Amino acid sequence: PPTSWENYAQALANLKGIDGAQLLRCKGTLRFPDGPCVVQGVQHVFSPPAPIDAGVDSFLVAITRDLDPGALERALAPIL
């Protein structure tokens, strides 16, 4: 199912609560009710979601350093 904007905002707030030195980069695509978007961020700086035309599945890639995988999973729980 598409990711709600509210759940994305919560996940983004959760990610911003992680030490930026541990969350190096996060990038992927998410399907929102009004269409798919590219989402990306470096440490605590996230760009606004950018609409794309492709009908892709949702996925995220996170590059981390010394971050407990459970902490990342909890932060992203609203959109998993």
Side-chain angles (χ1 to χ4, degrees), residues 2-77:
T3 298
S4 73
W5 288 106
E6 294 80 13
N7 285 358
Y8 174 71
Q10 181 60 56
L12 194 60
N14 294 346
L15 287 173
K16 289 181 178 184
I18 291 175
D19 179 9
Q22 292 181 299
L23 179 63
L24 304 179
R25 183 149 175 80
C26 188
K27 185 172 187 171
T29 62
L30 293 175
R31 288 186 305 125
F32 291 99
D34 49 343
C37 290
V38 171
V39 295
Q40 58 184 331
V42 176
Q43 295 185 327
H44 292 130
V45 180
F46 282 78
S47 301
I52 56 175
D53 291 330
V56 297
D57 289 331
S58 294
F59 75 93
L60 286 174
V61 175
I63 301 171
T64 66
R65 177 183 299 140
D66 300 325
L67 178 62
D68 171 39
L72 184 61
E73 187 174 341
R74 287 187 297 277
L76 294 173

